[in-house]
Amino acid sequence: MPTTASNTSTGAGQSWTALRHLRHLLDLLDQGAPAEQFAPPAASARGPHLDEPDAALVAEATRVALRIRRTLGQHRRREAELAALFDTAGDLARLRDLDAVLKALVHRAKLPLGTDVTYLSLNDDEAGDTYMRVTDGSVSAAFQQVRLGMGEGLGGLVAETARPYSTGDYRDDPRFRHTTTIDGAVTEEGLRAILGVPLRLGTRVIGVLYAADRTARSFTPDEVALLSSLADHAAIAIDSARLLDETRSALVDLNEASRTIEAHSDAMRRAEETHDRLTDLVLRGADIADVATAIGGVLQGGTLIHDADGTELARSGTDSGQPSARAVAASRAGGRAVPADGTWVCAVLAGPELLGSIALTGRAGRAGLGDADRRLFERAAVVTALLLLQRRSVAEAEDRVRGELLGDLLSGAADPACLPARARRVGVHLDHPHAVFVLHSTTAPRQRLLAAAARVAHSRKGLAGLHHDDVVLVLPAERPASGPRPGHGVGARAASLAGELGQALAGPVTVGAAGPVTGPGRFRDAHAEAVRCCTALRALGREGSGAALGDLGFLGVLLGDQTDLGGYVRRTLGPVLDYDAKRGTDLVHTLRTYFDEGASPSRAAEALHVHVNTVVQRLDRTGRLLGRDWQHPERALELQLALRVHRVQRPDDSAPPTA
């Protein structure tokens, strides 16, 4: 009996111990104790105070308590995240400024995730990339300014695919397209783990929201979901702020436009009436003086009109002198009237061509012009341009007669005996020495170049016209050729003409010269030499300059000779020329560029816009065609000379044109 009672007492004590352990587990759950505090009850349950069933019961209860703790922790964390998400949504809904929206978004994203850095990039549709817009926790200037191409790095991949991506250690993650710029910025910032989610409006991605740590770790699905939810709210807020800014801007622009229309309606009507009045003057055959008087009357000032050479054409109500060349150039460059020393100056233009200038003086010039009067003044310049073009058309008709004489003189088809008499009727004396100039411009139309040449010919008693698609100018020689360099004086005049015509046409004009010659029979040969000189100048990269063959050194001697230059080119470059012709390659151009760049493959590659290995391969092929000694100094000199001669040859000739 005592034994039975003792056993009963022992069993009751063990059950009581088990119940205390269970109560302790409930207390731990209620207190939110850390997981390590749940272990002692289970350990003691396995001691001698409990039998095996009770110990198993306590151990199972401990495991259940730990699961309940994890579940409660997840719920509390989710509750905190949802609270942060709702707070963020509320903050974003109240913001109206786009910068404030972006800063609040990035800061709010950092709080629930607890990361070191959060940042946001926006897509640039025009540039086709995504750029860093706002950061929180960043310390690197390079990182804050980095741009990611679509598909580059983690962010570029998110922007391109519209899918979230994360990495535990970006530097060693081969899934992403690494670039020097992106990797350098990430390394300077010290980031390792990065999570990026798209900012989406419907199916369109407008940017990427990131969270990053400076230590390697993995991002949980809950963190991805939370950041994605923030991004979805943020995209709507960003779009709302952007639409609000655009609406405000549109309203401001609309109000400003309304005020502008109202303020200028009368001025525009006045401008139209003035324009019609001035145009009517031109149509009725009025001269430049009538236009000057009308302009001064409308704008209440004195008017002064000059041509492109600075020659005064008309004045009305002013004693002022010619406006400064700097003021005319400024007006020409900007296409608007400009003030200068109490005078308003407007260039008279036909497209980019300078026809002359108008100066407005007196009270209007000193007091300044309002926008409406300034437009009136500029319209007056347009009408003046029409009148000057009309006058020029008459002059061009007269020049046509001179052009026909020039064509007969250069072609040699007309009777030489009749040419001197025809020339004297237009003021040209062929028994005096004349120089021949061939003109070329890559920027100005041929008719504009011809018109400029005709003005020079008219002012200097010469001839100008087209011959075999070349603009040709024949002028009296300033002095006869003498000394060991007979073309030197003509070459200096060619250089002067190149500068003069280039300034008049606002673009480079190349001038090849020959002569001087006397008598109708020698102009044809002089023209052929001037053509060769102009072609050589262009081939040598001397666009916009002027010279005679005597100024071109050894190349000029070659081009002036009657030697078989085509045969020389074939003997020197024949294998390469044949290879290019057969295979459609351009080894000749590569070889020429290689020599032009100082025999440097790397600089030649830059000039050709290819990889240096491509240049090396082409030069290897050229070496096999020309022989191993092709780079020896003597052979290289021959090749360079042949390349230059080949460059100046016309496409339809085997050699440069001769007389």
Side-chain angles (χ1 to χ4, degrees), residues 18 35 65 95 100 117 135 183 216 242 244 376 381 400 413 415 427 510 569 582:
L95 295 174
V117 183
T135 64
D183 287 0
R242 182 180 295 167
L244 184 59
L376 279 177
R400 197 169 298 119
D415 183 4
T510 308
V569 172
K582 183 177 180 180

Side-chain angles (χ1 to χ4, degrees), residues 540-585:
L540 293 174
R542 293 175 56 179
E543 292 279 355
S545 64
L549 282 180
D551 301 314
L552 300 183
F554 183 60
L555 184 60
V557 175
L558 286 177
L559 294 176
D561 202 352
Q562 302 298 319
T563 56
D564 183 15
L565 297 179
Y568 173 78
V569 172
R570 290 294 310 168
R571 287 191 301 272
T572 308
L573 297 173
V576 180
L577 294 172
D578 293 339
Y579 185 93
D580 283 346
K582 183 177 180 180
R583 291 171 174 78
T585 57

Side-chain angles (χ1 to χ4, degrees), residues 439-446 449 505 507-510 538 543:
L439 318 178
H440 182 270
S441 174
T442 57
T443 58
R446 185 178 299 158
L449 180 59
L505 298 178
V509 176
T510 308
R538 294 169 54 201
E543 292 279 355

